[in-house]
Amino acid sequence: MMEVWYQPDPGANPTAAPVPLPIVSVFGTLKITPQTIGWTANLPAGTFEKILRTGRVLIRIHCDVLIDAKQRQFSSTLTGILGTTGLILPGGVFESWFLIK
């Protein structure tokens, strides 16, 4: 249901050969309540500091529909943006990412 990936910045090490770098999958434990989605990495303490250098962390949540506290949908459908009504098909991915410097 949830994926966490780390993509190192190829420009962070100018002495390295210009080759594609791997995307690292970070495995963890997912805890879900009606109000929260919590994820904890399955890594020993201090490992993140050794692994994560300059780069990007990508988080993907595979879900039907995500709804906020005011019952507003913020999942993969464009229903709210387009102002359409009718059947909303389930399925999709909520994706977010952030940079580490």
Side-chain angles (χ1 to χ4, degrees), residues 5-95:
W5 298 335
Y6 168 67
Q7 300 168 310
D9 180 4
N13 186 359
T15 60
V19 297
L21 296 173
I23 296 174
V24 178
S25 295
V26 183
F27 295 94
T29 301
L30 184 64
K31 292 184 181 179
I32 302 172
T33 71
Q35 298 297 319
T36 62
I37 298 174
W39 181 85
T40 305
N42 291 343
L43 297 171
T47 305
F48 260 137
E49 290 81 10
K50 294 176 185 173
I51 295 174
L52 300 180
R53 300 178 304 278
T54 300
R56 177 171 66 166
V57 174
L58 175 70
I59 300 167
R60 300 180 87 197
I61 302 171
H62 300 262
C63 58
D64 289 342
V65 178
L66 292 176
I67 300 172
D68 70 7
K70 294 183 179 180
Q71 298 300 307
R72 295 177 296 193
Q73 182 173 308
F74 61 98
S75 66
S76 59
T77 182
L78 295 175
T79 301
I81 295 170
L82 300 175
T84 59
T85 60
L87 180 64
I88 297 174
L89 299 175
V93 175
F94 177 79
E95 183 172 298

